[in-house]
Amino acid sequence: MKKSLLVFLTLVFVLTLSVSAQRPERNPIVIVPGTMSSWNSDILLDKTPDTVEQSLDNWKFTPGVKQYDQLIKSLEDKGLVRDKDFFIAFYDWRQPNANSAKNYLIPTIDKALKHTDTGKVDIIAHSMGGLVARAYIQSDGYRNDVDQFIMLGTPNHGSGDVYTLWEGGIIPDNWRYTQKQVLNAYNWFLQFHGNSKNNLYDTIHTYIPSVGELLPTYDYLVGKNTNQLQHYSKMKEKNPFLDKLNMKSFGEEAGARKLASRVREIYSIAGINQTTVGTIRVIPHTEEDGKLWIDGKTDPL
């Protein structure tokens, strides 16, 4: 019986090794949320946001942000465990996307890689989070550690939504209630502590440069009186971040080809027949507008 038991245990051990060898280890998943979806009071409410030290501690979803609940639940329903099988790369969304990639995404990837022998992670990125991920994957510091890259509604050529905010200091009407509240509260906080002037335009340009990295890189302004489309190259406010990421000077698909050469699979998921901002009608900038609406004032406002 001892011999039989030894043979049985040996067979079980061998079969277990065989099954383990046939079943490839799963890559950890890193979720990168969209703009204004990450919250850390110690960092975001620092009185000197331009010099605040970065940290991965004490981050959570911004209060009121619920759009990631179902995604996380679906992963947990499959038996995946947070901070073991999947990780959330919260980041300071005020900063340029390349900074967010360096200071938040890469350290989160490093945490995830400690839980796997594959040497790679899969990234699920929403909205601006996709640009943070691209900033890393297409950078000189990329370490070939992303296997699959999934973008959910990522504005790879920018978003017309931010034009009124960046050029006019006005929050678009179609933005979510949470986004509006966060921006207004943040602007009030900076004014209260003497870090900002009495307008949202200065707050955005001084403390939230990431907004400028969401500007469209296609032709989207139309003269209200002339009905002529303004060419992007003629605009004063451009988006050098996306121009570089998409390698626009090397052809329309050059950036996409570089991205595709660095990961095994890419998925871009976007809505069909969903309303979004296309062209924006503007009237010419006047002296009364000052530094606002340098490329044209939206009309209606």
Coordinates of all heavy atoms in Angstrom, one line a residue, residues 229-286:
L229 N -14.0 76.1 -42.7 CA -13.3 75.3 -41.7 C -11.9 75.9 -41.5 O -11.1 76.1 -42.5 CB -13.2 73.9 -42.2 CG -12.9 72.8 -41.2 CD1 -13.9 72.7 -40.1 CD2 -12.7 71.4 -41.9
Q230 N -11.5 76.1 -40.3 CA -10.2 76.6 -40.0 C -9.2 75.4 -39.9 O -9.4 74.5 -39.2 CB -10.2 77.4 -38.6 CG -8.9 78.0 -38.3 CD -9.0 78.9 -37.0 OE1 -10.1 79.4 -36.7 NE2 -7.9 79.0 -36.3
H231 N -8.1 75.5 -40.6 CA -7.1 74.4 -40.6 C -6.4 74.4 -39.3 O -6.0 75.4 -38.8 CB -6.2 74.6 -41.8 CG -5.4 73.4 -42.1 ND1 -4.3 72.9 -41.4 CD2 -5.6 72.4 -43.1 CE1 -3.9 71.8 -41.9 NE2 -4.7 71.5 -43.0
Y232 N -6.2 73.2 -38.8 CA -5.5 73.0 -37.5 C -4.1 73.7 -37.5 O -3.7 74.3 -36.5 CB -5.4 71.6 -37.1 CG -4.6 71.2 -36.0 CD1 -5.0 71.5 -34.7 CD2 -3.3 70.7 -36.1 CE1 -4.2 71.2 -33.6 CE2 -2.5 70.4 -35.0 CZ -2.9 70.7 -33.7 OH -2.1 70.4 -32.7
S233 N -3.4 73.6 -38.6 CA -2.1 74.1 -38.6 C -2.0 75.6 -38.5 O -1.0 76.2 -38.1 CB -1.4 73.7 -39.9 OG -2.1 74.3 -41.0
K234 N -3.2 76.3 -38.7 CA -3.2 77.8 -38.6 C -3.6 78.2 -37.2 O -3.6 79.4 -37.0 CB -4.2 78.3 -39.6 CG -3.9 77.9 -41.1 CD -2.6 78.5 -41.6 CE -2.4 78.2 -43.1 NZ -1.1 78.8 -43.5
M235 N -4.0 77.3 -36.4 CA -4.4 77.7 -35.0 C -3.3 78.1 -34.1 O -2.2 77.6 -34.3 CB -5.2 76.5 -34.4 CG -6.5 76.2 -35.1 SD -7.4 74.9 -34.2 CE -7.8 75.7 -32.6
K236 N -3.5 79.0 -33.2 CA -2.5 79.4 -32.3 C -2.4 78.5 -31.1 O -1.3 78.2 -30.6 CB -2.8 80.8 -31.8 CG -2.8 81.9 -32.8 CD -3.1 83.3 -32.3 CE -3.0 84.4 -33.3 NZ -3.9 84.2 -34.5
E237 N -3.5 77.9 -30.7 CA -3.5 76.9 -29.6 C -3.5 75.5 -30.2 O -4.6 75.0 -30.7 CB -4.7 77.1 -28.6 CG -4.5 78.3 -27.8 CD -3.6 78.1 -26.6 OE1 -2.9 77.1 -26.5 OE2 -3.4 79.1 -25.8
K238 N -2.4 74.8 -30.2 CA -2.3 73.5 -30.8 C -2.1 72.5 -29.7 O -2.1 72.8 -28.5 CB -1.1 73.4 -31.8 CG -1.3 74.3 -33.0 CD -0.2 74.0 -34.0 CE -0.3 74.9 -35.3 NZ -0.1 76.4 -34.9
N239 N -1.9 71.2 -30.0 CA -1.7 70.2 -29.1 C -0.4 69.4 -29.4 O -0.4 68.3 -30.0 CB -2.9 69.2 -29.1 CG -2.8 68.2 -28.0 OD1 -1.8 67.9 -27.4 ND2 -4.0 67.6 -27.7
P240 N 0.8 69.9 -29.0 CA 2.0 69.3 -29.4 C 2.2 67.9 -28.8 O 2.9 67.0 -29.3 CB 3.1 70.2 -28.8 CG 2.4 71.1 -27.8 CD 1.0 71.2 -28.3
F241 N 1.5 67.6 -27.6 CA 1.6 66.3 -27.0 C 1.0 65.2 -28.0 O 1.6 64.2 -28.2 CB 0.8 66.3 -25.7 CG 0.5 64.9 -25.2 CD1 1.5 64.1 -24.6 CD2 -0.8 64.4 -25.2 CE1 1.2 62.8 -24.2 CE2 -1.1 63.1 -24.7 CZ 0.0 62.4 -24.2
L242 N -0.2 65.5 -28.5 CA -0.8 64.5 -29.4 C -0.2 64.5 -30.7 O -0.1 63.5 -31.4 CB -2.3 64.8 -29.5 CG -3.2 64.2 -28.4 CD1 -4.7 64.4 -28.8 CD2 -3.0 62.7 -28.3
D243 N 0.3 65.7 -31.2 CA 1.0 65.7 -32.5 C 2.2 64.8 -32.4 O 2.5 64.1 -33.4 CB 1.5 67.2 -32.7 CG 0.3 68.0 -33.2 OD1 -0.7 67.5 -33.6 OD2 0.5 69.3 -33.2
K244 N 3.0 64.8 -31.3 CA 4.1 64.0 -31.1 C 3.7 62.5 -31.0 O 4.3 61.6 -31.6 CB 4.9 64.4 -29.9 CG 6.2 63.6 -29.7 CD 7.0 64.1 -28.5 CE 8.2 63.2 -28.2 NZ 9.0 63.7 -27.0
L245 N 2.7 62.3 -30.2 CA 2.2 60.9 -30.0 C 1.8 60.2 -31.3 O 2.0 59.0 -31.5 CB 1.1 60.9 -28.9 CG 0.9 59.7 -28.0 CD1 2.2 59.4 -27.2 CD2 -0.3 59.8 -27.1
N246 N 1.1 61.0 -32.1 CA 0.6 60.5 -33.4 C 1.6 60.6 -34.5 O 1.3 60.2 -35.6 CB -0.7 61.1 -33.7 CG -1.9 60.8 -32.7 OD1 -1.9 59.7 -32.2 ND2 -2.8 61.7 -32.5
M247 N 2.7 61.3 -34.2 CA 3.8 61.5 -35.2 C 3.2 62.0 -36.5 O 3.4 61.5 -37.6 CB 4.5 60.1 -35.4 CG 5.2 59.6 -34.2 SD 5.8 57.9 -34.4 CE 7.2 58.3 -35.6
K248 N 2.5 63.1 -36.3 CA 1.7 63.7 -37.4 C 2.5 64.1 -38.6 O 2.1 63.9 -39.7 CB 0.9 64.9 -36.9 CG -0.3 65.2 -37.7 CD -1.2 66.2 -37.0 CE -2.5 66.4 -37.8 NZ -3.4 67.3 -37.1
S249 N 3.7 64.5 -38.3 CA 4.6 65.0 -39.4 C 5.1 63.8 -40.2 O 5.7 64.0 -41.3 CB 5.8 65.8 -38.9 OG 6.5 65.0 -38.0
F250 N 5.0 62.6 -39.7 CA 5.4 61.4 -40.5 C 4.3 60.6 -41.1 O 4.5 59.5 -41.6 CB 6.2 60.5 -39.5 CG 7.4 61.0 -39.0 CD1 7.5 61.7 -37.8 CD2 8.6 60.9 -39.7 CE1 8.6 62.3 -37.3 CE2 9.8 61.5 -39.2 CZ 9.8 62.1 -38.0
G251 N 3.1 61.2 -41.2 CA 2.0 60.6 -41.8 C 0.9 60.2 -40.8 O 1.2 60.0 -39.6
E252 N -0.3 60.2 -41.2 CA -1.5 60.0 -40.3 C -1.4 58.8 -39.4 O -1.8 58.8 -38.3 CB -2.8 60.0 -41.1 CG -4.0 60.1 -40.3 CD -4.1 61.5 -39.6 OE1 -3.6 62.5 -40.1 OE2 -4.8 61.5 -38.5
E253 N -0.8 57.7 -39.9 CA -0.8 56.4 -39.2 C 0.5 56.1 -38.5 O 0.7 55.0 -38.0 CB -1.2 55.3 -40.1 CG -2.6 55.5 -40.8 CD -3.7 55.6 -39.7 OE1 -3.6 54.9 -38.7 OE2 -4.7 56.3 -40.0
A254 N 1.5 57.0 -38.6 CA 2.8 56.7 -38.1 C 2.8 56.4 -36.6 O 3.4 55.5 -36.1 CB 3.8 57.9 -38.3
G255 N 2.0 57.2 -35.8 CA 2.0 57.0 -34.4 C 1.3 55.7 -34.0 O 1.7 54.9 -33.1
A256 N 0.2 55.4 -34.8 CA -0.5 54.1 -34.6 C 0.4 52.9 -34.9 O 0.4 51.9 -34.2 CB -1.7 54.1 -35.4
R257 N 1.2 53.0 -35.9 CA 2.1 51.9 -36.2 C 3.2 51.7 -35.1 O 3.5 50.6 -34.8 CB 2.8 52.2 -37.6 CG 1.9 52.0 -38.8 CD 2.7 51.9 -40.1 NE 3.5 53.1 -40.3 CZ 3.0 54.1 -41.0 NH1 1.8 54.1 -41.5 NH2 3.8 55.2 -41.2
K258 N 3.7 52.8 -34.6 CA 4.7 52.7 -33.5 C 4.0 52.0 -32.3 O 4.6 51.1 -31.7 CB 5.2 54.1 -33.1 CG 6.3 54.0 -32.0 CD 6.8 55.4 -31.7 CE 7.9 55.3 -30.7 NZ 8.5 56.6 -30.4
L259 N 2.8 52.4 -32.0 CA 2.1 51.8 -30.8 C 1.9 50.3 -31.1 O 2.1 49.5 -30.2 CB 0.8 52.5 -30.7 CG -0.2 52.0 -29.6 CD1 0.5 52.2 -28.2 CD2 -1.5 52.7 -29.6
A260 N 1.4 50.0 -32.3 CA 1.2 48.6 -32.6 C 2.4 47.7 -32.6 O 2.3 46.5 -32.3 CB 0.5 48.5 -34.0
S261 N 3.6 48.3 -32.8 CA 4.8 47.5 -32.9 C 5.3 47.2 -31.5 O 6.2 46.4 -31.3 CB 5.9 48.3 -33.6 OG 6.3 49.4 -32.9
R262 N 4.7 47.8 -30.4 CA 5.2 47.7 -29.1 C 4.3 46.8 -28.2 O 4.7 46.5 -27.0 CB 5.4 49.1 -28.5 CG 6.5 49.8 -29.2 CD 6.9 51.1 -28.4 NE 8.2 51.6 -29.0 CZ 9.0 52.5 -28.3 NH1 8.6 52.9 -27.1 NH2 10.1 52.9 -28.8
V263 N 3.1 46.5 -28.6 CA 2.3 45.6 -27.8 C 1.7 44.5 -28.7 O 1.7 44.7 -29.9 CB 1.1 46.4 -27.1 CG1 1.6 47.4 -26.1 CG2 0.2 47.1 -28.2
R264 N 1.3 43.4 -28.1 CA 0.9 42.3 -29.0 C -0.5 42.5 -29.5 O -0.7 42.2 -30.7 CB 0.9 41.0 -28.1 CG 0.5 39.7 -28.9 CD 0.7 38.5 -28.0 NE -0.2 38.5 -26.8 CZ -1.4 38.1 -26.8 NH1 -2.0 37.6 -27.9 NH2 -2.1 38.1 -25.7
E265 N -1.4 43.1 -28.8 CA -2.8 43.3 -29.2 C -3.3 44.6 -28.7 O -3.0 45.0 -27.6 CB -3.7 42.2 -28.8 CG -3.5 40.8 -29.5 CD -4.5 39.8 -29.0 OE1 -5.1 40.0 -28.0 OE2 -4.7 38.8 -29.8
I266 N -4.0 45.3 -29.6 CA -4.6 46.6 -29.2 C -6.1 46.6 -29.6 O -6.5 46.1 -30.7 CB -4.0 47.8 -30.0 CG1 -2.5 47.9 -29.7 CG2 -4.6 49.1 -29.7 CD1 -1.8 48.9 -30.6
Y267 N -6.9 47.1 -28.7 CA -8.4 47.2 -28.9 C -8.8 48.6 -28.6 O -8.4 49.2 -27.6 CB -9.2 46.2 -28.0 CG -8.8 44.8 -28.2 CD1 -7.8 44.2 -27.4 CD2 -9.5 44.0 -29.1 CE1 -7.4 42.9 -27.6 CE2 -9.1 42.6 -29.3 CZ -8.1 42.1 -28.5 OH -7.8 40.8 -28.7
S268 N -9.5 49.2 -29.5 CA -10.1 50.6 -29.2 C -11.6 50.5 -29.3 O -12.2 50.2 -30.3 CB -9.6 51.6 -30.3 OG -10.1 52.9 -30.0
I269 N -12.2 50.7 -28.2 CA -13.7 50.5 -28.0 C -14.3 51.9 -27.9 O -14.0 52.7 -27.1 CB -14.0 49.7 -26.8 CG1 -13.4 48.3 -26.9 CG2 -15.5 49.5 -26.7 CD1 -13.5 47.4 -25.7
A270 N -15.2 52.2 -28.8 CA -15.9 53.5 -28.8 C -17.4 53.3 -29.2 O -17.8 52.2 -29.7 CB -15.3 54.5 -29.8
G271 N -18.2 54.2 -28.8 CA -19.7 54.1 -29.1 C -20.0 54.3 -30.5 O -19.3 55.0 -31.2
I272 N -21.0 53.7 -31.0 CA -21.6 53.8 -32.3 C -22.9 54.6 -32.2 O -23.7 54.3 -31.4 CB -21.8 52.5 -33.0 CG1 -20.4 51.8 -33.2 CG2 -22.5 52.7 -34.4 CD1 -20.6 50.4 -33.8
N273 N -23.1 55.6 -33.1 CA -24.3 56.4 -33.0 C -24.5 57.2 -31.7 O -25.6 57.4 -31.3 CB -25.5 55.6 -33.4 CG -25.5 55.0 -34.8 OD1 -25.0 55.7 -35.7 ND2 -26.0 53.8 -35.0
Q274 N -23.3 57.5 -31.1 CA -23.4 58.3 -29.8 C -23.0 59.7 -30.2 O -22.0 60.0 -30.9 CB -22.4 57.7 -28.8 CG -22.7 56.3 -28.4 CD -24.0 56.1 -27.7 OE1 -24.3 56.9 -26.8 NE2 -24.8 55.1 -28.1
T275 N -23.7 60.7 -29.6 CA -23.5 62.1 -30.0 C -22.1 62.5 -29.3 O -21.8 62.1 -28.2 CB -24.6 63.0 -29.4 OG1 -24.7 62.8 -28.0 CG2 -25.9 62.7 -30.1
T276 N -21.4 63.3 -30.1 CA -20.1 63.8 -29.6 C -19.9 65.2 -30.3 O -20.6 65.5 -31.2 CB -18.9 62.9 -29.8 OG1 -17.8 63.4 -29.2 CG2 -18.7 62.7 -31.3
V277 N -18.9 65.9 -29.8 CA -18.6 67.2 -30.3 C -17.9 67.1 -31.6 O -16.8 66.5 -31.7 CB -17.8 68.1 -29.4 CG1 -17.5 69.4 -30.0 CG2 -18.6 68.3 -28.1
G278 N -18.4 67.6 -32.7 CA -17.7 67.6 -34.0 C -17.1 68.9 -34.3 O -16.2 69.3 -33.6
T279 N -17.7 69.7 -35.2 CA -17.2 71.0 -35.4 C -17.8 72.0 -34.5 O -18.9 71.8 -33.9 CB -17.5 71.5 -36.9 OG1 -18.9 71.4 -37.1 CG2 -16.8 70.6 -37.9
I280 N -17.1 73.1 -34.2 CA -17.6 74.2 -33.3 C -17.6 75.5 -34.1 O -16.6 75.9 -34.7 CB -16.6 74.3 -32.1 CG1 -16.5 73.0 -31.4 CG2 -17.0 75.4 -31.2 CD1 -15.5 73.0 -30.2
R281 N -18.7 76.2 -34.0 CA -18.9 77.5 -34.7 C -18.3 78.6 -33.9 O -18.6 78.7 -32.7 CB -20.3 77.7 -35.1 CG -20.8 76.7 -36.1 CD -22.1 77.2 -36.8 NE -22.5 76.3 -37.9 CZ -22.0 76.4 -39.1 NH1 -21.2 77.4 -39.4 NH2 -22.4 75.5 -40.1
V282 N -17.5 79.4 -34.5 CA -16.9 80.5 -33.7 C -17.0 81.8 -34.5 O -17.1 81.8 -35.7 CB -15.4 80.2 -33.5 CG1 -15.2 79.0 -32.6 CG2 -14.6 80.0 -34.8
I283 N -16.8 82.9 -33.8 CA -16.7 84.2 -34.4 C -15.3 84.7 -34.0 O -14.7 84.2 -33.1 CB -17.7 85.2 -33.8 CG1 -17.7 85.3 -32.3 CG2 -19.1 84.8 -34.3 CD1 -18.7 86.3 -31.7
P284 N -14.7 85.7 -34.8 CA -13.3 86.1 -34.6 C -13.0 86.6 -33.3 O -13.9 87.2 -32.6 CB -13.1 87.1 -35.7 CG -14.2 86.8 -36.8 CD -15.3 86.3 -36.0
H285 N -11.8 86.4 -32.8 CA -11.3 87.0 -31.6 C -11.3 88.5 -31.7 O -10.9 89.1 -32.8 CB -9.9 86.4 -31.3 CG -9.2 87.1 -30.2 ND1 -8.4 88.2 -30.4 CD2 -9.2 86.8 -28.8 CE1 -7.9 88.6 -29.2 NE2 -8.3 87.7 -28.3
T286 N -11.6 89.2 -30.6 CA -11.5 90.7 -30.6 C -10.6 91.1 -29.4 O -10.3 90.4 -28.6 CB -12.9 91.3 -30.4 OG1 -13.4 90.9 -29.1 CG2 -13.9 90.8 -31.5

